[in-house]
Amino acid sequence: AGSFLFAALGALILLLIPSQIKTRPDQAITAATFPGILALLILGGSLLNLIRDGLRLLRREKIPFLELNLLTEVKALILLLFLVVYAVMMPLTGFIAASAIYGILMLLFFRVRTWRSYLLIIVLAGAIGSLFKYVLQVRLP
């Protein structure tokens, strides 16, 4: 089921890219190049997985069964929630503040207790934000 889902996702991304990302035909590498490559990799990996599982079925081999641990899945959902909060906070607080808060949330989630790690996250958020904004002239929220 996962391979079908990701194959459909890869195909959907490939179909949506032209309507979502405007490009000029005279450019070799455009804003659509990287997402297109990722979508092709998703689609290709899914199709290879489907072919492999299909061959196992034809040979009547046992297909490995995946057992999910609910606690692990809940932790993954919490991390996804942190990422959503980060995306919502970024336009409100700016890149540097949102990145520092997101990093601190991650350290708290993984129960990191050293104060140096928290300081490093704050300094790196400021340094990376400043590098992009002032040196590379990238507009950040």
Side-chain angles (χ1 to χ4, degrees):
S3 295
F4 281 115
L5 177 68
F6 277 97
L9 177 68
L12 179 66
I13 292 170
L14 283 175
L15 289 173
L16 289 176
I17 284 175
S19 67
Q20 299 297 314
I21 303 173
K22 302 297 179 215
T23 59
R24 293 190 345 218
D26 61 331
Q27 292 179 323
I29 296 177
T30 65
T33 303
F34 186 68
I37 290 171
L38 288 180
L40 286 172
L41 287 172
I42 290 170
L43 187 59
S46 299
L47 292 176
L48 286 174
N49 213 11
L50 285 170
I51 291 169
R52 186 188 66 190
D53 287 345
L55 290 174
R56 283 184 177 166
L57 284 173
L58 289 174
R59 293 184 196 140
R60 298 184 192 271
E61 293 177 14
K62 192 172 188 176
I63 295 177
F65 184 73
L66 179 65
E67 194 170 313
L68 296 176
N69 181 352
L70 189 59
L71 182 61
T72 303
E73 301 306 318
V74 169
K75 287 180 179 178
L77 286 175
I78 292 170
L79 291 175
L80 181 63
L81 176 67
F82 286 170
L83 194 58
V84 169
V85 168
Y86 175 59
V88 169
M89 279 181 20
M90 198 176 306
L92 301 173
T93 63
F95 176 82
I96 294 172
S99 297
I101 292 168
Y102 176 73
I104 289 169
L105 281 174
M106 295 299 286
L107 291 175
L108 289 170
F109 182 77
F110 289 109
R111 295 186 178 117
V112 175
R113 300 205 188 277
T114 58
W115 63 270
R116 283 181 236 129
S117 299
Y118 292 89
L119 179 63
L120 181 65
I121 286 292
I122 293 168
V123 169
L124 283 176
I128 292 169
S130 297
L131 173 73
F132 275 90
K133 189 172 186 176
Y134 300 113
V135 177
L136 299 174
Q137 301 293 316
V138 174
R139 285 187 293 154
L140 297 172

